Amino acid sequence: MKSNLKQVMRLVAVAFVASLTLTACGKGCTKRQAAKAESLKLIPVDSNVLIGINWKKTQASPLGPKLSEGIPPEAKALLQNIDSLVLGPNVDSIMPTLSTGTPKEPKDVIGVVDGKVDKEAWLKEMKDRLAKNSASPQEEDYEGVKIYSDPTPKGISIAFLGEQTLFGMKESVKKAIDLSKGKGDSIEKNKAVMDIVKGLDKGKMLWAVALIPEGTIPAGAEGGAGNPMNALSSMKSLDLALDYNGNLLLDLGIFTATKESAQQMMTMANSYKTLFGGTLASKSPELGKILGGLSIDAKENKVVLTLKLDQATVEELAKKAKEGSPGMVPPSNPSEVVPPAASVSPETAPALP
């Protein structure tokens, strides 16, 4: 399943990287936002993560052509004339596992692309990829719509609905086709998800929401009270919005069980920023600039992290990341950044909720 998931996520990864060069919305933005709303009608009700990407703005960006140089030629044809993309996974956990450091595979995933895609280019890419293993796509007529699938049990499937293209696991694609015909419930009937979506500006270059399954970060996690991850056990959901119109603006919201939990998490985060920020900045100027542009606040039961960076800093960070600068990777153990002479007593150490 893992190799097939990589195929599903391929377009998303390409679009996400390119979206870092987005500019202001401009003409036609309202129309594209409406298209995104229609896309939600094709996402099944049991999806607990939504990711939206405004691809049209990426194409219009002055830096778009530069980033497109890194996109594989076969992928460029797939991305032409796309307006936006919405991905709706259903996952057991959005957090990395302790053993692998990577999130668990989703149980289900569906992607909806808005725009006039090149159908023949999409099918050719699938055929060429499968031909390398002496295989060919399967075709199935479902409710009057043709589905093209990777022949493996959990393979990638594609279906075309006018100016919308579906991709994902076959059963997910079938669910989306049913929804297009008014059968079943879409994500719009998932109140927990939609309550968060309503508070987001979906005109941004990238937006995302996620429900955190209960028990994902259990209280008393490995490491006990000294484990900073233990402070996150009250997390219920997340939202994220990212835009880049000369300056980068990222807003990450963490919804907690109570107002008190949000205040405790904000206090802990600001305490660690104050305690370790100076030493981190001295070891890595790049991390110092990120910390300098980061603010952490709490509003009711939501912790809000806002990052603002100017264009020059963004370009510098992107260059360092591309070069694989070791300074971009923070120490895995926070104690490594505390100067030997600056011992921290129990009274001054940041308290965990």
Side-chain angles (χ1 to χ4, degrees), residues 286-304:
E286 293 81 13
L287 285 176
K289 290 181 178 180
I290 292 175
L291 289 172
L294 177 66
S295 64
I296 307 166
D297 197 2
K299 300 176 181 179
E300 295 299 324
N301 67 323
K302 182 180 182 181
V303 182
V304 181

Side-chain angles (χ1 to χ4, degrees), residues 1 4 138 149-157 168-171:
M1 177 177 170
N4 293 322
Q138 292 179 344
S149 303
D150 183 310
T152 60
K154 294 286 186 178
I156 304 308
S157 295
M169 301 170 189
K170 182 183 285 188
E171 291 306 311

